[in-house]
Amino acid sequence: MPKLIAGSVRVDRYQRRALVTGVVAAAAFVALAAAPYVLDPAVTSSWIKLFYLITLATMWNLLAGYAGMVSVGQQAYIGLGAYGLFVFNDMGFDPYSSALIASVAVGVIALPLSFIAFRLRGGYFAIGTWVIAEAVRQIVIRFDNLGAGRGRSISNYTADPVFRNMFTYWLALGILALALVVTFYLLRSRMGIALQSIRDNEVAARALGINVSRTKRIVFVIAAMGAALAGSVICIQAIGVASPNQIFSVSYSAFMIFMVLIGGIGTIEGPILGAVIYFVMDLYFSQLGLWYLVVLGLLAILVTLFLPKGIWGAIHERFNISLFPVGHRIVPVADKFLPQSSAQPTVKEKRPNGRFRR
Amino acid sequence: MSAPAETANSLLEVNSVAKSYGALHILTEINFAVPAGEAVGIVGPNGAGKSTLLSVINGTERATAGSVIFDRRDVTKLGPEVRAHAGMGRTFQIPRPFTHLTVFENALSGASYGAGLHGKAADEQALYALELSGMMDLANTPAGRLPLLARKRLELARALATRPRLLLLDEIAGGLTEAECDSLVETISGLHASGITIIWIEHVVKALLAVVDRLVCLASGTLIADGKPDLVMSSTEVRRVYLGSGI
């Protein structure tokens, strides 16, 4: 193993900044988890929507922004998550455990579906995922015990509305935290490099030894599981009711794309920001009806025209900050560690302070 | 066409390889073998199929007919990632950088996956590749911001990071200044001396001749000459495809 320069530089993973992010995020998590004890339940339960929006945006970004798979069919897994909730709830699990089990089941379903979807590329992949989502909806409504075309509601529910709100809130918060931790960890891990290489150039990634389809498949399954978790939250929050036309609606994909593009695709911060923007707009302007949709569309057009990398992308470019650092930086090693090897004399002589020329 | 070297110690064998897209025949009946440790240059006019041949060897393109044997293993039907693990490193004529990653991260990609290294070992291999290819000063630059020549060197750095036994180079000297070209030749000579087998497509014949032991000339998808570099360059066939039929 060659060591000619290994002594003079080292690889920095921005550990300190990552640690700060971790500590702040953990503190925010604890504060948010405690919020239902302090704040009005009406306030906290309105945040549930924000939590699942961030989860959805983060998962879609992992799929499209990092693995280059532009899907408009994630509603398949949102819907399956909600329906999985019914299935496992009927078996006797409480709604919250059912959500987790359903997500695993959806992962198992997404795996074979990926073999169909991956036969297509680019725009065809996008349409293909939509077709798959439509097919899944058509299959689900064949089952009478799932409410057929009318939809149904959950059978065993937490009776007390206060507890129900709190449990749902914690479920949504937990899922959000899980989605962010998994994404951050994945991108900082060895696989993060593979994902970003695939996104930038698939042919080169393969020539460098990256197993593109396996890596994509892993992400596809993770994104499906995340969408399923969000789907069960959506269902539980709607007092446990889901109808196929609503829960399998393509508009979920439209909103995911909106949030990610507005916030900044290919960054961890962007989808969070995009989800917050969408949440706030939805909270204050949705009563405008059709005009609200016009404004959303206009905003999307303006951002793509003037901030093609999204709002966070522009912030990152201008100020070079990143709250979730996933990159690598080469830095010179600290002076005291400079090895006494023959490869270093020029470095020593360049030092004006004479620390190395005693 | 000279006979291929004895099969026993060939690192790479290309047997009756053909590549066509529908009715368009890019390569027809290509045969050659490369013994371990040899450096082979490939010359030929534009459109002769040189880059396609490299693609068929490293798996970016699948051969329509024939077989590719690497290290006594038939890799004809295997994907490029498997061949990279087996020890093939390849640069692209038109650079394909990972634009959002830094130069170091580009190399790390090759070191982590092609060479199959983890953690510190991968970091060191990537740094070594940057050092060898003279990219160290640009380590923290996003690859998307590199000018063309640096992108070509990045191709070399990434390929080296995979720790190849067979290095496939596709026109990496074009556009370099005299001094840059000399230092590139020195680097590749060093790699050759360290035992890496090299197949190098290049229009800058001077650079090629400084390194290779053997030259192959490709024209219209077939091998028209294969042998000692000076003999190949002076053969009438080669002079004809390069300089026209009047010579």
Side-chain angles (χ1 to χ4, degrees), chain A residues 328, chain B residues 98-107 138-143 154:
Chain A
H328 301 68
Chain B
F98 304 134
T99 50
H100 296 85
L101 296 180
T102 67
V103 164
F104 170 76
E105 287 163 343
N106 268 264
L138 296 167
N140 293 327
T141 308
L154 179 61

Side-chain angles (χ1 to χ4, degrees), chain B residues 29 32 72 88 98-99 102 117 136 138 145 163 167 196-197 210-211 225:
Chain B
E29 194 60 27
F32 73 101
R72 278 165 284 164
M88 284 193 198
F98 304 134
T99 50
T102 67
L117 298 171
M136 204 59 178
L138 296 167
R145 292 211 199 123
R163 215 158 54 180
L167 185 58
I196 297 178
T197 310
V211 177

Side-chain angles (χ1 to χ4, degrees), chain A:
Chain A
M1 193 68 200
K3 289 265 170 146
L4 63 165
I5 34 68
S8 58
V9 294
R10 66 178 180 84
V11 179
D12 177 40
R13 296 298 317 271
Y14 305 93
Q15 283 93 342
R16 196 170 296 177
R17 253 195 274 168
L19 189 67
V20 171
T21 300
V23 170
V24 171
F29 178 76
V30 171
L32 285 170
Y37 291 109
V38 187
L39 298 171
D40 185 346
V43 175
T44 50
S45 61
S46 78
W47 292 353
I48 293 172
K49 181 166 185 181
L50 176 63
F51 295 164
Y52 76 67
L53 286 176
I54 298 176
T55 306
L56 285 175
T58 299
M59 286 295 125
W60 194 80
N61 178 53
L62 191 62
L63 200 61
Y66 283 104
M69 291 180 279
V70 177
S71 162
V72 288
Q74 291 312 95
Q75 63 273 16
Y77 312 106
I78 296 175
L80 283 175
Y83 275 89
L85 190 68
F86 298 145
V87 172
F88 292 107
N89 186 249
D90 288 351
M91 289 179 183
F93 293 98
D94 69 79
Y96 316 101
S97 320
S98 301
L100 301 180
I101 303 168
S103 144
V104 175
V106 169
V108 173
I109 295 171
L111 187 64
L113 289 179
S114 75
F115 284 89
I116 304 172
F118 285 12
R119 298 183 68 87
L120 304 165
R121 304 250 159 240
Y124 298 99
F125 174 83
I127 300 302
T129 52
W130 192 356
V131 171
I132 289 171
E134 204 46 39
V136 168
R137 184 176 76 98
Q138 292 295 339
I139 291 167
V140 166
I141 61 174
R142 302 288 141 202
F143 290 93
D144 279 335
N145 59 341
L146 292 178
R150 303 175 308 279
R152 59 166 279 189
S153 60
I154 199 162
S155 346
N156 312 302
Y157 209 13
T158 315
D160 185 337
V162 177
F163 279 123
R164 197 164 64 206
N165 264 333
M166 282 170 95
F167 286 146
T168 311
Y169 176 87
W170 284 325
L171 180 70
L173 179 63
I175 287 168
L176 164 64
L178 186 68
L180 289 178
V181 166
V182 165
T183 304
F184 191 38
Y185 177 78
L186 207 62
L187 290 171
R188 275 183 73 86
S189 77
R190 193 164 172 267
M191 205 173 127
I193 284 284
L195 280 174
Q196 296 177 74
S197 301
I198 292 169
R199 174 197 60 194
D200 284 356
N201 198 307
E202 224 175 284
V203 172
R206 293 190 71 191
L208 289 179
I210 295 170
N211 190 331
V212 170
S213 23
R214 191 177 62 193
T215 311
K216 280 184 161 185
R217 200 163 312 234
I218 293 169
V219 170
F220 189 83
V221 170
I222 291 175
M225 291 174 75
L229 287 170
S232 42
V233 170
I234 291 170
C235 175
I236 295 175
Q237 199 208 9
I239 343 170
V241 178
S243 73
N245 290 336
Q246 175 264 325
I247 203 83
F248 284 107
S249 162
V250 74
S251 58
Y252 283 117
S253 280
F255 292 136
M256 281 186 245
I257 296 171
F258 175 83
M259 292 184 285
V260 173
L261 291 187
I262 293 280
I265 192 164
T267 64
I268 300 180
E269 299 86 347
I272 303 174
L273 185 63
V276 170
I277 291 171
Y278 174 68
F279 175 71
V280 170
M281 288 186 66
D282 193 62
L283 205 59
Y284 293 106
F285 302 117
S286 60
Q287 67 271 30
L288 297 177
L290 267 183
W291 280 108
Y292 164 62
L293 293 176
V294 171
V295 170
L296 276 189
L298 216 56
L299 182 65
I301 292 170
L302 289 176
V303 169
T304 19
L305 279 180
F306 297 106
L307 302 170
K309 291 178 176 173
I311 295 172
W312 186 265
I315 294 173
H316 174 71
E317 216 156 67
R318 184 101 166 68
F319 304 104
N320 196 28
I321 46 170
S322 114
L323 304 180
F324 296 91
V326 297
H328 301 68
R329 183 175 55 172
I330 303 303
V331 291
V333 282
D335 292 344
K336 53 186 169 184
F337 291 127
L338 208 64
Q340 296 288 316
S341 88
S342 57
Q344 302 301 330
T346 50
V347 180
K348 282 186 190 176
E349 271 153 34
K350 269 188 205 156
R351 292 268 160 196
N353 57 15
R355 217 184 291 170
F356 291 95
R357 288 190 244 161
R358 236 177 292 172

